[in-house]
């Protein structure tokens, strides 16, 4: 009857409501704060989607320190020079999922028990990922001016064609403990021809 037509129309309108589209991006508005603060992002919405890319402060005059408590998700991530992103456990989880390009010109600090899920494969830029008894998963390449330092685990990822080797073109430096390089599948390897593996002290 008419009621069911009305109900169907409202469902259709709800489904057609504008939402984030693939390729959308949001920007951190500058300064220190927590990823979960909606007021710190353009549009006033906290990014938590594999279709929305994130830019953290590309303003060289403003240094931003952003903290993730628990889990954060982005299609891609750009971290500006002089800026930092710290991931820490909230008691249950501590994961930063990046499904596309990760351009890091700042510092990403991974505190104990957290993981950078580099689902896009590559980590580029001129910054550093600092492991503090933490891990990086799914990485397939480290850019020429990028470094991973500290102690924890680096696990090679897999691409659309299956498991891939890890191409290190940057610097991996074990300091304060061990760095373990993990291969999940037979045939995966670390290609270090263009990079440096270093042991501190």
């Amino acid at each position: 009857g008419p009621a069911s037509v009305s109900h169907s129309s409202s469902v259709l309108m709800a489904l057609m409501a504008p939402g984030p589209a693939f390729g959308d991006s949001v920007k951190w508005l500058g300064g220190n704060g927590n990823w979960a603060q909606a007021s710190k992002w353009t549009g006033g919405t906290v990014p938590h989607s594999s279709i929305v890319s994130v830019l953290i402060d590309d303003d060289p005059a403003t240094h931003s320190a952003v903290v993730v408590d628990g889990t954060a998700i982005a299609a891609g991530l750009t971290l500006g020079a002089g800026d930092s992103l710290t991931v820490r456990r909230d008691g249950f989880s501590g994961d930063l999922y990046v499904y596309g390009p990760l351009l890091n010109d700042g510092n990403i600090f991974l505190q104990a028990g957290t993981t950078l899920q580099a689902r896009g494969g590559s980590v580029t830029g001129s910054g550093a990922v600092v492991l503090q008894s933490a891990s990086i998963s799914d990485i397939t390449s480290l850019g020429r001016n990028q470094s991973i330092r500290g102690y924890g685990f680096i696990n090679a990822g897999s691409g659309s064609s299956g498991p891939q080797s890890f191409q290190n073109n940057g610097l991996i430096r074990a300091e304060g403990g061990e760095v373990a390089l993990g291969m999940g599948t037979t045939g995966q390897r670390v290609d270090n021809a263009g990079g440096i593996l270093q042991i501190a002290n």
Side-chain angles (χ1 to χ4, degrees):
S4 64
V5 171
S6 173
H7 177 69
S8 297
S9 296
S10 9
V11 169
L12 182 59
M13 293 302 283
L15 291 173
M16 292 174 56
F22 185 78
D24 282 356
S25 62
V26 294
K27 180 179 175 183
W28 182 260
L29 296 175
N32 302 340
N34 195 289
W35 182 287
Q37 290 175 261
S39 63
K40 298 295 284 183
W41 297 101
T42 54
T45 303
V46 175
H48 196 71
S49 167
S50 61
I51 62 171
V52 176
S53 291
V54 171
L55 169 62
I56 296 181
D57 194 9
D58 59 348
D59 179 359
T62 304
H63 294 279
S64 297
V66 181
V67 175
V68 171
D69 286 311
T71 299
I73 301 171
L77 173 65
T78 300
L79 184 63
D83 301 317
S84 69
L85 180 61
T86 300
V87 182
R88 57 190 188 193
R89 290 187 67 81
D90 66 357
F92 301 100
S93 64
D95 294 292
L96 173 60
Y97 289 87
V98 181
Y99 284 88
L102 198 166
L103 174 60
N104 174 30
D105 286 324
N107 288 301
I108 299 174
F109 297 100
L110 301 173
Q111 291 189 352
T114 64
T115 303
L116 168 57
Q117 306 275 355
R119 299 287 170 91
S122 66
V123 180
T124 61
S126 58
V129 178
V130 182
L131 303 175
Q132 300 166 325
S133 189
S135 62
I136 298 176
S137 293
D138 297 317
I139 190 168
T140 55
S141 68
L142 185 68
R144 190 167 56 88
N145 297 311
Q146 187 71 202
S147 67
I148 298 173
R149 58 186 175 85
Y151 58 102
F153 297 92
I154 302 170
N155 297 304
S158 56
S160 55
S161 59
Q164 296 182 2
S165 295
F166 171 43
Q167 179 78 40
N168 177 30
N169 294 308
L171 168 67
I172 297 174
R173 178 181 166 96
E175 56 185 29
E178 298 177 347
V179 171
L181 297 171
M183 307 295 117
T185 304
T186 302
Q188 282 184 303
R189 61 197 275 288
V190 175
D191 182 347
N192 195 55
I196 298 171
L197 296 175
Q198 189 176 69
I199 301 171
N201 303 323

